[in-house]
Amino acid sequence: MADTAEASAAAPGTGPPLLEVAGVAVGYNGPDGYTAAVADASFTVRAGETVMLIGPSGCGKSTLLRVVAGFLRPAAGRVVFDGRTGLAPGPDRAVVFQESDQLLPWRTALGNVAYALRATGTPRARARALARDHLVGVGLAHALDRHPHQLSGGMKQRVAIARALALAPRMLLMDEPFGALDAQTRGRLQHDLAALVRRTGTTVLFVTHSIDEAVLLGDRVVVLGDRPSRVREVVDVAGVDRPDAPEFTAARRRLRALLAEEEETAHAPAH
Amino acid sequence: MPPPTDAPAGPPAAPAPPAGRRPAPALPRSARRRAGWGRLPTAVRRGVLLAALIAAWQGYVSAAGVSPLVFAGPADVAAALVAGWAGGDLVAPTLTTLRLLGLGMLIGSVLALALTALAVGTRLGDDLLSLLTAMINPLPSVAVLPLAMLWFGLNETALVFVVANAVLWPMAVSLGTGFRTVPATTVAVGRSLGLRGWRLVRDIRLPAALPHTIAGVRTGWAFGWRTIIAAELVFGVAGARGGLGFYINDARYYLDIPNVFAGLVTIALIGIALDLLFTAVERRTVVRWGMREGAAT
Ligand SMILES: Nc1ncnc2c1ncn2[C@@H]1O[C@H](COP(=O)(O)OP(=O)(O)OP(=O)(O)O)[C@@H](O)[C@H]1O
Ligand SMILES: [Mg+2]
């Protein structure tokens, strides 16, 4: 996957916008009619950039990701990816879902990754070799032939990450991919993801609950408010990638303040 | 499991040790249950039980002196079974029954698949299938035999029709449940790989629905098997060759009781064999993949 054209791109985030989300409102049709999840979201993701989505639980982060992935149509506003609107799901935007049942239970870990590659046109032998490499890359060399029900939650999540990375997508959509992992594994995978993004110039839209993860991995952080949510602010955290840098502490304080403010307005008595 | 320090939750197997003295570490409950009879392998336990039952059967026949015109002992039955299978008297009826059953199941399965596709694809088909299964499923499937005989005459087609009808409805219900309960995330994964149409069905929906599909074939076969035997008993001979049901009825007519029993044993053995086959298929697929808990057999 190191042979992506964007590999030679200049500093991340200076390219043209790859994804544009403009005035998007989206919700779900239920038995009681339409319920809004996101009221008004606008942000852009430039090619090679890593943009983080953060906000309180239930504010519509996964919903926004589903819109970009092409599973949901926005009720208002528009989403432009690579010049196209009216998106259908496709492997150019590989998704790591939040749900733990995202692996095909009838295929092994290796089979899951290899199948994704074959389904998108890679010849069988090459698909298996690539799949193996990517699983070794997430530390699963010992579990290639296990079925998903024989893997722990974190291991399943790592298979899903390997599957998405193996597809070498234009854009990676990740929904709290490291949420179920222990601190060490999470740290290692964060580091590996950052390195991979730097090497291949892959564009990433990443949902997280963790302020630290947002600051460390992101170039910019989109802070969402309570449901039905709006974008409260987009915080620039490019270049802050070491926890001991003074900018790190500042960015973290800024994000914490934004999210705490959100908490306060949400729990203030209504008048 | 560590040896319990508190009193175990279940009823104690042995009186509690006197207080003050350190109790010997109690066996974990599972190990305690496995002592004695329970420690023997399943096959041995079943073999011993079977032998005991047959001995009791033989003992009853010898001691009570029942008339051989209404009851046969295991030795006579075994002799009839061997003679029937070696001489071919049992082979032809068995093959006839299995052939009719297979044909009926094939037709029933294809219809079930078509109905399910319709039901999953369209709202109208869904309503139609729900209504039809609600109406026809409670009806014992042999009950349509008189109608089938009226429509198709006294021939094998009538039997195949009855079996197909018996298989169709429970199978359509299982298949429908299977397709409807495929997890949304699983389908989303397929779609995000760009799969659509037939490929999405073949690579994602069909394997995801496999547990219910196998369960459906299993129920379908069980319904079909009971139905064809019952139908043959009522129906008698179809053309020149009769099936197992006819064989039993025929033997009864000639008061050949060992052969009645031999027919029954054959039916039971085929049932057991097919059930083992389905269990093996499930073990190798859905159980191995953690899509269904392994059923103990
Ligand atoms: N399939 C659905 N049908 C109806 N409502 C839904 C559906 N999925 C999500 N919602 C609602 O939409 C809102 C946003 O959900 P979403 O999953 O996007 O939240 P989130 O920000 O990802 O939360 P979390 O951080 O807990 O994952 C929630 O209030 C949820 O109840
Ligand atoms: Mg979510």
Side-chain angles (χ1 to χ4, degrees), chain A residues 71 89-91 97 101-102 105-106 115-116 119-120 147 149 163 167, chain B residues 183 185-186 188-189 191-193 195 199 203-204 207-208 288-291:
Chain A
F71 292 116
F97 293 89
D101 60 349
Q102 63 180 306
W106 56 91
Y115 171 74
T120 52
H147 282 91
H149 76 109
R163 179 172 65 187
L167 292 172
Chain B
T185 319
T186 309
V189 165
R191 292 221 293 145
S192 111
L193 290 173
L195 301 181
R199 283 200 72 192
D203 287 6
I204 304 289
R288 189 155 79 91
W289 304 332
M291 295 171 80

PDB file of all heavy atoms in Angstrom, chain A residues 71 89-91 97 101-102 105-106 115-116 119-120 147 149 163 167, chain B residues 183 185-186 188-189 191-193 195 199 203-204 207-208 288-291:
ATOM      1  N   PHE A  71     -24.071   5.176   3.852  1.00  0.00           N
ATOM      2  CA  PHE A  71     -25.184   4.349   4.333  1.00  0.00           C
ATOM      3  C   PHE A  71     -26.432   5.171   4.621  1.00  0.00           C
ATOM      4  O   PHE A  71     -27.535   4.652   4.631  1.00  0.00           O
ATOM      5  CB  PHE A  71     -24.787   3.591   5.603  1.00  0.00           C
ATOM      6  CG  PHE A  71     -23.745   2.551   5.362  1.00  0.00           C
ATOM      7  CD1 PHE A  71     -22.499   2.652   5.939  1.00  0.00           C
ATOM      8  CD2 PHE A  71     -24.015   1.481   4.530  1.00  0.00           C
ATOM      9  CE1 PHE A  71     -21.522   1.690   5.713  1.00  0.00           C
ATOM     10  CE2 PHE A  71     -23.053   0.517   4.290  1.00  0.00           C
ATOM     11  CZ  PHE A  71     -21.805   0.622   4.878  1.00  0.00           C
ATOM     12  N   PRO A  89     -22.111   3.401  -0.616  1.00  0.00           N
ATOM     13  CA  PRO A  89     -20.974   2.798   0.075  1.00  0.00           C
ATOM     14  C   PRO A  89     -19.982   2.206  -0.928  1.00  0.00           C
ATOM     15  O   PRO A  89     -20.381   1.699  -1.975  1.00  0.00           O
ATOM     16  CB  PRO A  89     -21.615   1.676   0.908  1.00  0.00           C
ATOM     17  CG  PRO A  89     -23.048   2.021   1.007  1.00  0.00           C
ATOM     18  CD  PRO A  89     -23.396   2.783  -0.222  1.00  0.00           C
ATOM     19  N   GLY A  90     -18.715   2.282  -0.610  1.00  0.00           N
ATOM     20  CA  GLY A  90     -17.715   1.727  -1.517  1.00  0.00           C
ATOM     21  C   GLY A  90     -16.371   1.613  -0.843  1.00  0.00           C
ATOM     22  O   GLY A  90     -16.131   2.261   0.187  1.00  0.00           O
ATOM     23  N   PRO A  91     -15.499   0.785  -1.391  1.00  0.00           N
ATOM     24  CA  PRO A  91     -14.214   0.516  -0.731  1.00  0.00           C
ATOM     25  C   PRO A  91     -13.232   1.690  -0.788  1.00  0.00           C
ATOM     26  O   PRO A  91     -12.175   1.609  -0.175  1.00  0.00           O
ATOM     27  CB  PRO A  91     -13.669  -0.692  -1.508  1.00  0.00           C
ATOM     28  CG  PRO A  91     -14.355  -0.649  -2.824  1.00  0.00           C
ATOM     29  CD  PRO A  91     -15.690  -0.015  -2.605  1.00  0.00           C
ATOM     30  N   PHE A  97     -16.022  -0.172  11.795  1.00  0.00           N
ATOM     31  CA  PHE A  97     -17.254   0.118  12.524  1.00  0.00           C
ATOM     32  C   PHE A  97     -17.032   0.084  14.023  1.00  0.00           C
ATOM     33  O   PHE A  97     -16.069  -0.504  14.516  1.00  0.00           O
ATOM     34  CB  PHE A  97     -18.337  -0.903  12.149  1.00  0.00           C
ATOM     35  CG  PHE A  97     -18.792  -0.802  10.718  1.00  0.00           C
ATOM     36  CD1 PHE A  97     -18.149  -1.510   9.715  1.00  0.00           C
ATOM     37  CD2 PHE A  97     -19.867  -0.005  10.381  1.00  0.00           C
ATOM     38  CE1 PHE A  97     -18.563  -1.431   8.399  1.00  0.00           C
ATOM     39  CE2 PHE A  97     -20.290   0.084   9.070  1.00  0.00           C
ATOM     40  CZ  PHE A  97     -19.640  -0.628   8.076  1.00  0.00           C
ATOM     41  N   ASP A 101     -19.551  -6.834  15.914  1.00  0.00           N
ATOM     42  CA  ASP A 101     -19.918  -7.950  15.030  1.00  0.00           C
ATOM     43  C   ASP A 101     -19.613  -7.618  13.576  1.00  0.00           C
ATOM     44  O   ASP A 101     -20.298  -8.056  12.676  1.00  0.00           O
ATOM     45  CB  ASP A 101     -21.389  -8.320  15.196  1.00  0.00           C
ATOM     46  CG  ASP A 101     -22.331  -7.166  14.870  1.00  0.00           C
ATOM     47  OD1 ASP A 101     -21.841  -6.033  14.722  1.00  0.00           O
ATOM     48  OD2 ASP A 101     -23.543  -7.395  14.761  1.00  0.00           O
ATOM     49  N   GLN A 102     -18.556  -6.837  13.357  1.00  0.00           N
ATOM     50  CA  GLN A 102     -18.275  -6.411  11.995  1.00  0.00           C
ATOM     51  C   GLN A 102     -17.397  -7.390  11.216  1.00  0.00           C
ATOM     52  O   GLN A 102     -17.109  -7.155  10.053  1.00  0.00           O
ATOM     53  CB  GLN A 102     -17.618  -5.037  11.988  1.00  0.00           C
ATOM     54  CG  GLN A 102     -16.274  -5.027  12.678  1.00  0.00           C
ATOM     55  CD  GLN A 102     -15.676  -3.649  12.642  1.00  0.00           C
ATOM     56  OE1 GLN A 102     -15.533  -3.051  11.605  1.00  0.00           O
ATOM     57  NE2 GLN A 102     -15.342  -3.133  13.806  1.00  0.00           N
ATOM     58  N   PRO A 105     -18.439 -14.022  10.625  1.00  0.00           N
ATOM     59  CA  PRO A 105     -18.121 -15.103  11.564  1.00  0.00           C
ATOM     60  C   PRO A 105     -17.669 -16.384  10.884  1.00  0.00           C
ATOM     61  O   PRO A 105     -16.985 -17.191  11.499  1.00  0.00           O
ATOM     62  CB  PRO A 105     -19.425 -15.320  12.338  1.00  0.00           C
ATOM     63  CG  PRO A 105     -20.475 -14.555  11.644  1.00  0.00           C
ATOM     64  CD  PRO A 105     -19.828 -13.555  10.745  1.00  0.00           C
ATOM     65  N   TRP A 106     -18.061 -16.572   9.620  1.00  0.00           N
ATOM     66  CA  TRP A 106     -17.728 -17.837   8.962  1.00  0.00           C
ATOM     67  C   TRP A 106     -16.352 -17.800   8.314  1.00  0.00           C
ATOM     68  O   TRP A 106     -15.925 -18.750   7.698  1.00  0.00           O
ATOM     69  CB  TRP A 106     -18.791 -18.193   7.924  1.00  0.00           C
ATOM     70  CG  TRP A 106     -19.018 -17.137   6.893  1.00  0.00           C
ATOM     71  CD1 TRP A 106     -18.392 -17.021   5.692  1.00  0.00           C
ATOM     72  CD2 TRP A 106     -19.935 -16.045   6.976  1.00  0.00           C
ATOM     73  NE1 TRP A 106     -18.865 -15.931   5.021  1.00  0.00           N
ATOM     74  CE2 TRP A 106     -19.818 -15.315   5.785  1.00  0.00           C
ATOM     75  CE3 TRP A 106     -20.852 -15.617   7.947  1.00  0.00           C
ATOM     76  CZ2 TRP A 106     -20.580 -14.166   5.539  1.00  0.00           C
ATOM     77  CZ3 TRP A 106     -21.591 -14.492   7.698  1.00  0.00           C
ATOM     78  CH2 TRP A 106     -21.461 -13.785   6.509  1.00  0.00           C
ATOM     79  N   TYR A 115     -10.709 -11.855   2.153  1.00  0.00           N
ATOM     80  CA  TYR A 115     -11.966 -11.760   1.398  1.00  0.00           C
ATOM     81  C   TYR A 115     -12.247 -10.319   0.972  1.00  0.00           C
ATOM     82  O   TYR A 115     -12.651 -10.073  -0.169  1.00  0.00           O
ATOM     83  CB  TYR A 115     -13.148 -12.283   2.216  1.00  0.00           C
ATOM     84  CG  TYR A 115     -14.446 -11.975   1.530  1.00  0.00           C
ATOM     85  CD1 TYR A 115     -14.827 -12.686   0.397  1.00  0.00           C
ATOM     86  CD2 TYR A 115     -15.253 -10.916   1.953  1.00  0.00           C
ATOM     87  CE1 TYR A 115     -15.981 -12.366  -0.286  1.00  0.00           C
ATOM     88  CE2 TYR A 115     -16.408 -10.593   1.275  1.00  0.00           C
ATOM     89  CZ  TYR A 115     -16.772 -11.315   0.156  1.00  0.00           C
ATOM     90  OH  TYR A 115     -17.896 -10.984  -0.536  1.00  0.00           O
ATOM     91  N   ALA A 116     -12.009  -9.378   1.874  1.00  0.00           N
ATOM     92  CA  ALA A 116     -12.242  -7.970   1.529  1.00  0.00           C
ATOM     93  C   ALA A 116     -11.392  -7.575   0.321  1.00  0.00           C
ATOM     94  O   ALA A 116     -11.855  -6.866  -0.579  1.00  0.00           O
ATOM     95  CB  ALA A 116     -11.918  -7.072   2.721  1.00  0.00           C
ATOM     96  N   ALA A 119     -12.807  -9.344  -2.812  1.00  0.00           N
ATOM     97  CA  ALA A 119     -14.079  -8.738  -3.234  1.00  0.00           C
ATOM     98  C   ALA A 119     -13.841  -7.425  -3.962  1.00  0.00           C
ATOM     99  O   ALA A 119     -14.671  -6.985  -4.744  1.00  0.00           O
ATOM    100  CB  ALA A 119     -14.976  -8.512  -2.023  1.00  0.00           C
ATOM    101  N   THR A 120     -12.689  -6.796  -3.694  1.00  0.00           N
ATOM    102  CA  THR A 120     -12.416  -5.534  -4.363  1.00  0.00           C
ATOM    103  C   THR A 120     -11.386  -5.709  -5.472  1.00  0.00           C
ATOM    104  O   THR A 120     -10.745  -4.754  -5.890  1.00  0.00           O
ATOM    105  CB  THR A 120     -11.914  -4.482  -3.356  1.00  0.00           C
ATOM    106  OG1 THR A 120     -10.823  -5.051  -2.613  1.00  0.00           O
ATOM    107  CG2 THR A 120     -13.021  -4.107  -2.380  1.00  0.00           C
ATOM    108  N   HIS A 147     -11.335 -18.189  14.140  1.00  0.00           N
ATOM    109  CA  HIS A 147     -12.593 -17.559  13.750  1.00  0.00           C
ATOM    110  C   HIS A 147     -12.908 -16.424  14.731  1.00  0.00           C
ATOM    111  O   HIS A 147     -12.460 -16.463  15.882  1.00  0.00           O
ATOM    112  CB  HIS A 147     -13.719 -18.591  13.710  1.00  0.00           C
ATOM    113  CG  HIS A 147     -13.682 -19.441  12.477  1.00  0.00           C
ATOM    114  ND1 HIS A 147     -13.001 -20.636  12.417  1.00  0.00           N
ATOM    115  CD2 HIS A 147     -14.205 -19.250  11.240  1.00  0.00           C
ATOM    116  CE1 HIS A 147     -13.119 -21.141  11.206  1.00  0.00           C
ATOM    117  NE2 HIS A 147     -13.848 -20.328  10.466  1.00  0.00           N
ATOM    118  N   HIS A 149     -15.252 -15.655  16.710  1.00  0.00           N
ATOM    119  CA  HIS A 149     -15.755 -15.932  18.055  1.00  0.00           C
ATOM    120  C   HIS A 149     -14.671 -16.456  18.975  1.00  0.00           C
ATOM    121  O   HIS A 149     -14.883 -16.567  20.189  1.00  0.00           O
ATOM    122  CB  HIS A 149     -16.940 -16.910  18.000  1.00  0.00           C
ATOM    123  CG  HIS A 149     -16.559 -18.340  17.751  1.00  0.00           C
ATOM    124  ND1 HIS A 149     -16.645 -19.308  18.707  1.00  0.00           N
ATOM    125  CD2 HIS A 149     -16.059 -18.952  16.663  1.00  0.00           C
ATOM    126  CE1 HIS A 149     -16.237 -20.464  18.219  1.00  0.00           C
ATOM    127  NE2 HIS A 149     -15.883 -20.277  16.973  1.00  0.00           N
ATOM    128  N   ARG A 163      -8.196  -5.010   8.122  1.00  0.00           N
ATOM    129  CA  ARG A 163      -8.996  -5.148   6.905  1.00  0.00           C
ATOM    130  C   ARG A 163      -9.152  -3.799   6.203  1.00  0.00           C
ATOM    131  O   ARG A 163      -9.011  -3.696   4.990  1.00  0.00           O
ATOM    132  CB  ARG A 163     -10.371  -5.724   7.263  1.00  0.00           C
ATOM    133  CG  ARG A 163     -11.293  -5.887   6.081  1.00  0.00           C
ATOM    134  CD  ARG A 163     -12.557  -6.627   6.446  1.00  0.00           C
ATOM    135  NE  ARG A 163     -13.374  -5.884   7.402  1.00  0.00           N
ATOM    136  CZ  ARG A 163     -14.462  -6.380   7.987  1.00  0.00           C
ATOM    137  NH1 ARG A 163     -14.833  -7.612   7.741  1.00  0.00           N
ATOM    138  NH2 ARG A 163     -15.163  -5.646   8.827  1.00  0.00           N
ATOM    139  N   LEU A 167      -7.187  -2.409   2.430  1.00  0.00           N
ATOM    140  CA  LEU A 167      -7.892  -1.954   1.231  1.00  0.00           C
ATOM    141  C   LEU A 167      -7.243  -0.718   0.613  1.00  0.00           C
ATOM    142  O   LEU A 167      -7.609  -0.320  -0.490  1.00  0.00           O
ATOM    143  CB  LEU A 167      -9.354  -1.646   1.571  1.00  0.00           C
ATOM    144  CG  LEU A 167     -10.216  -2.868   1.929  1.00  0.00           C
ATOM    145  CD1 LEU A 167     -11.571  -2.431   2.443  1.00  0.00           C
ATOM    146  CD2 LEU A 167     -10.385  -3.770   0.714  1.00  0.00           C
TER     147      LEU A 167
ATOM    148  N   PRO B 183     -27.440  -9.644  10.823  1.00  0.00           N
ATOM    149  CA  PRO B 183     -27.104  -8.397  11.500  1.00  0.00           C
ATOM    150  C   PRO B 183     -26.852  -7.260  10.501  1.00  0.00           C
ATOM    151  O   PRO B 183     -26.226  -7.450   9.460  1.00  0.00           O
ATOM    152  CB  PRO B 183     -25.808  -8.738  12.246  1.00  0.00           C
ATOM    153  CG  PRO B 183     -25.796 -10.209  12.355  1.00  0.00           C
ATOM    154  CD  PRO B 183     -26.546 -10.743  11.181  1.00  0.00           C
ATOM    155  N   THR B 185     -24.910  -4.789  10.713  1.00  0.00           N
ATOM    156  CA  THR B 185     -23.487  -4.484  10.528  1.00  0.00           C
ATOM    157  C   THR B 185     -22.862  -5.404   9.484  1.00  0.00           C
ATOM    158  O   THR B 185     -22.045  -4.970   8.675  1.00  0.00           O
ATOM    159  CB  THR B 185     -22.725  -4.647  11.859  1.00  0.00           C
ATOM    160  OG1 THR B 185     -23.514  -4.116  12.904  1.00  0.00           O
ATOM    161  CG2 THR B 185     -21.399  -3.953  11.796  1.00  0.00           C
ATOM    162  N   THR B 186     -23.252  -6.682   9.511  1.00  0.00           N
ATOM    163  CA  THR B 186     -22.692  -7.628   8.549  1.00  0.00           C
ATOM    164  C   THR B 186     -23.016  -7.185   7.114  1.00  0.00           C
ATOM    165  O   THR B 186     -22.152  -7.202   6.241  1.00  0.00           O
ATOM    166  CB  THR B 186     -23.261  -9.033   8.804  1.00  0.00           C
ATOM    167  OG1 THR B 186     -23.097  -9.345  10.181  1.00  0.00           O
ATOM    168  CG2 THR B 186     -22.562 -10.067   7.968  1.00  0.00           C
ATOM    169  N   ALA B 188     -23.759  -4.145   6.234  1.00  0.00           N
ATOM    170  CA  ALA B 188     -23.054  -2.877   5.986  1.00  0.00           C
ATOM    171  C   ALA B 188     -21.607  -3.149   5.566  1.00  0.00           C
ATOM    172  O   ALA B 188     -21.078  -2.468   4.674  1.00  0.00           O
ATOM    173  CB  ALA B 188     -23.103  -1.999   7.238  1.00  0.00           C
ATOM    174  N   VAL B 189     -20.978  -4.147   6.183  1.00  0.00           N
ATOM    175  CA  VAL B 189     -19.602  -4.489   5.810  1.00  0.00           C
ATOM    176  C   VAL B 189     -19.546  -4.887   4.333  1.00  0.00           C
ATOM    177  O   VAL B 189     -18.698  -4.419   3.577  1.00  0.00           O
ATOM    178  CB  VAL B 189     -19.069  -5.630   6.710  1.00  0.00           C
ATOM    179  CG1 VAL B 189     -17.809  -6.242   6.127  1.00  0.00           C
ATOM    180  CG2 VAL B 189     -18.802  -5.108   8.113  1.00  0.00           C
ATOM    181  N   ARG B 191     -21.683  -4.119   1.970  1.00  0.00           N
ATOM    182  CA  ARG B 191     -21.972  -2.979   1.094  1.00  0.00           C
ATOM    183  C   ARG B 191     -20.781  -2.038   1.017  1.00  0.00           C
ATOM    184  O   ARG B 191     -20.487  -1.469  -0.034  1.00  0.00           O
ATOM    185  CB  ARG B 191     -23.194  -2.220   1.622  1.00  0.00           C
ATOM    186  CG  ARG B 191     -24.469  -3.046   1.493  1.00  0.00           C
ATOM    187  CD  ARG B 191     -25.638  -2.204   1.043  1.00  0.00           C
ATOM    188  NE  ARG B 191     -26.054  -1.227   2.021  1.00  0.00           N
ATOM    189  CZ  ARG B 191     -26.509  -0.019   1.722  1.00  0.00           C
ATOM    190  NH1 ARG B 191     -26.573   0.372   0.463  1.00  0.00           N
ATOM    191  NH2 ARG B 191     -26.886   0.795   2.669  1.00  0.00           N
ATOM    192  N   SER B 192     -20.075  -1.870   2.136  1.00  0.00           N
ATOM    193  CA  SER B 192     -18.954  -0.949   2.103  1.00  0.00           C
ATOM    194  C   SER B 192     -17.785  -1.527   1.308  1.00  0.00           C
ATOM    195  O   SER B 192     -16.870  -0.794   0.922  1.00  0.00           O
ATOM    196  CB  SER B 192     -18.560  -0.549   3.526  1.00  0.00           C
ATOM    197  OG  SER B 192     -17.320  -1.073   3.873  1.00  0.00           O
ATOM    198  N   LEU B 193     -17.827  -2.835   1.029  1.00  0.00           N
ATOM    199  CA  LEU B 193     -16.833  -3.395   0.104  1.00  0.00           C
ATOM    200  C   LEU B 193     -17.300  -3.230  -1.340  1.00  0.00           C
ATOM    201  O   LEU B 193     -16.628  -3.689  -2.269  1.00  0.00           O
ATOM    202  CB  LEU B 193     -16.614  -4.885   0.400  1.00  0.00           C
ATOM    203  CG  LEU B 193     -15.896  -5.202   1.710  1.00  0.00           C
ATOM    204  CD1 LEU B 193     -15.890  -6.694   1.975  1.00  0.00           C
ATOM    205  CD2 LEU B 193     -14.471  -4.667   1.677  1.00  0.00           C
ATOM    206  N   LEU B 195     -20.177  -4.456  -2.531  1.00  0.00           N
ATOM    207  CA  LEU B 195     -21.001  -5.574  -2.996  1.00  0.00           C
ATOM    208  C   LEU B 195     -22.444  -5.119  -3.147  1.00  0.00           C
ATOM    209  O   LEU B 195     -22.962  -4.372  -2.330  1.00  0.00           O
ATOM    210  CB  LEU B 195     -20.958  -6.731  -2.004  1.00  0.00           C
ATOM    211  CG  LEU B 195     -19.602  -7.338  -1.698  1.00  0.00           C
ATOM    212  CD1 LEU B 195     -19.750  -8.488  -0.723  1.00  0.00           C
ATOM    213  CD2 LEU B 195     -18.940  -7.820  -2.972  1.00  0.00           C
ATOM    214  N   ARG B 199     -24.153 -10.764  -5.546  1.00  0.00           N
ATOM    215  CA  ARG B 199     -22.919 -11.019  -4.792  1.00  0.00           C
ATOM    216  C   ARG B 199     -23.114 -10.756  -3.310  1.00  0.00           C
ATOM    217  O   ARG B 199     -22.580 -11.469  -2.465  1.00  0.00           O
ATOM    218  CB  ARG B 199     -21.775 -10.143  -5.316  1.00  0.00           C
ATOM    219  CG  ARG B 199     -21.197 -10.646  -6.610  1.00  0.00           C
ATOM    220  CD  ARG B 199     -19.823 -10.087  -6.854  1.00  0.00           C
ATOM    221  NE  ARG B 199     -18.818 -10.664  -5.981  1.00  0.00           N
ATOM    222  CZ  ARG B 199     -17.589 -10.177  -5.856  1.00  0.00           C
ATOM    223  NH1 ARG B 199     -17.229  -9.103  -6.533  1.00  0.00           N
ATOM    224  NH2 ARG B 199     -16.725 -10.756  -5.065  1.00  0.00           N
ATOM    225  N   ASP B 203     -22.407 -13.869  -0.912  1.00  0.00           N
ATOM    226  CA  ASP B 203     -21.243 -13.826  -0.032  1.00  0.00           C
ATOM    227  C   ASP B 203     -21.566 -13.377   1.385  1.00  0.00           C
ATOM    228  O   ASP B 203     -20.796 -13.641   2.301  1.00  0.00           O
ATOM    229  CB  ASP B 203     -20.187 -12.872  -0.619  1.00  0.00           C
ATOM    230  CG  ASP B 203     -19.499 -13.484  -1.826  1.00  0.00           C
ATOM    231  OD1 ASP B 203     -19.926 -14.570  -2.251  1.00  0.00           O
ATOM    232  OD2 ASP B 203     -18.548 -12.875  -2.349  1.00  0.00           O
ATOM    233  N   ILE B 204     -22.665 -12.680   1.573  1.00  0.00           N
ATOM    234  CA  ILE B 204     -22.957 -12.137   2.900  1.00  0.00           C
ATOM    235  C   ILE B 204     -24.261 -12.696   3.464  1.00  0.00           C
ATOM    236  O   ILE B 204     -24.274 -13.331   4.510  1.00  0.00           O
ATOM    237  CB  ILE B 204     -23.041 -10.584   2.856  1.00  0.00           C
ATOM    238  CG1 ILE B 204     -21.742 -10.005   2.273  1.00  0.00           C
ATOM    239  CG2 ILE B 204     -23.336 -10.038   4.238  1.00  0.00           C
ATOM    240  CD1 ILE B 204     -20.540 -10.110   3.168  1.00  0.00           C
ATOM    241  N   PRO B 207     -24.542 -16.936   3.740  1.00  0.00           N
ATOM    242  CA  PRO B 207     -23.808 -17.535   4.866  1.00  0.00           C
ATOM    243  C   PRO B 207     -24.284 -17.015   6.205  1.00  0.00           C
ATOM    244  O   PRO B 207     -24.309 -17.769   7.186  1.00  0.00           O
ATOM    245  CB  PRO B 207     -22.349 -17.151   4.595  1.00  0.00           C
ATOM    246  CG  PRO B 207     -22.348 -16.220   3.451  1.00  0.00           C
ATOM    247  CD  PRO B 207     -23.651 -16.301   2.760  1.00  0.00           C
ATOM    248  N   ALA B 208     -24.675 -15.748   6.279  1.00  0.00           N
ATOM    249  CA  ALA B 208     -25.136 -15.221   7.564  1.00  0.00           C
ATOM    250  C   ALA B 208     -26.441 -15.883   7.986  1.00  0.00           C
ATOM    251  O   ALA B 208     -26.730 -15.989   9.174  1.00  0.00           O
ATOM    252  CB  ALA B 208     -25.318 -13.704   7.482  1.00  0.00           C
ATOM    253  N   ARG B 288     -18.831 -24.453  14.527  1.00  0.00           N
ATOM    254  CA  ARG B 288     -17.405 -24.128  14.453  1.00  0.00           C
ATOM    255  C   ARG B 288     -17.190 -22.625  14.321  1.00  0.00           C
ATOM    256  O   ARG B 288     -16.187 -22.074  14.758  1.00  0.00           O
ATOM    257  CB  ARG B 288     -16.793 -24.840  13.243  1.00  0.00           C
ATOM    258  CG  ARG B 288     -15.286 -24.761  13.191  1.00  0.00           C
ATOM    259  CD  ARG B 288     -14.719 -25.920  12.398  1.00  0.00           C
ATOM    260  NE  ARG B 288     -14.817 -25.723  10.973  1.00  0.00           N
ATOM    261  CZ  ARG B 288     -13.859 -25.154  10.252  1.00  0.00           C
ATOM    262  NH1 ARG B 288     -12.765 -24.739  10.828  1.00  0.00           N
ATOM    263  NH2 ARG B 288     -14.012 -24.998   8.956  1.00  0.00           N
ATOM    264  N   TRP B 289     -18.128 -21.964  13.682  1.00  0.00           N
ATOM    265  CA  TRP B 289     -17.996 -20.522  13.478  1.00  0.00           C
ATOM    266  C   TRP B 289     -18.602 -19.710  14.608  1.00  0.00           C
ATOM    267  O   TRP B 289     -18.694 -18.483  14.530  1.00  0.00           O
ATOM    268  CB  TRP B 289     -18.666 -20.104  12.158  1.00  0.00           C
ATOM    269  CG  TRP B 289     -18.136 -20.839  10.977  1.00  0.00           C
ATOM    270  CD1 TRP B 289     -16.884 -21.362  10.826  1.00  0.00           C
ATOM    271  CD2 TRP B 289     -18.841 -21.143   9.765  1.00  0.00           C
ATOM    272  NE1 TRP B 289     -16.774 -21.975   9.608  1.00  0.00           N
ATOM    273  CE2 TRP B 289     -17.957 -21.843   8.938  1.00  0.00           C
ATOM    274  CE3 TRP B 289     -20.134 -20.859   9.307  1.00  0.00           C
ATOM    275  CZ2 TRP B 289     -18.314 -22.293   7.664  1.00  0.00           C
ATOM    276  CZ3 TRP B 289     -20.492 -21.300   8.044  1.00  0.00           C
ATOM    277  CH2 TRP B 289     -19.583 -22.013   7.246  1.00  0.00           C
ATOM    278  N   GLY B 290     -19.084 -20.400  15.641  1.00  0.00           N
ATOM    279  CA  GLY B 290     -19.655 -19.683  16.767  1.00  0.00           C
ATOM    280  C   GLY B 290     -20.960 -18.993  16.431  1.00  0.00           C
ATOM    281  O   GLY B 290     -21.359 -18.054  17.105  1.00  0.00           O
ATOM    282  N   MET B 291     -21.634 -19.443  15.361  1.00  0.00           N
ATOM    283  CA  MET B 291     -22.903 -18.808  15.002  1.00  0.00           C
ATOM    284  C   MET B 291     -24.065 -19.481  15.713  1.00  0.00           C
ATOM    285  O   MET B 291     -25.166 -18.991  15.699  1.00  0.00           O
ATOM    286  CB  MET B 291     -23.116 -18.852  13.489  1.00  0.00           C
ATOM    287  CG  MET B 291     -22.077 -18.027  12.743  1.00  0.00           C
ATOM    288  SD  MET B 291     -22.152 -18.260  10.961  1.00  0.00           S
ATOM    289  CE  MET B 291     -23.534 -17.202  10.533  1.00  0.00           C
TER     290      MET B 291
END
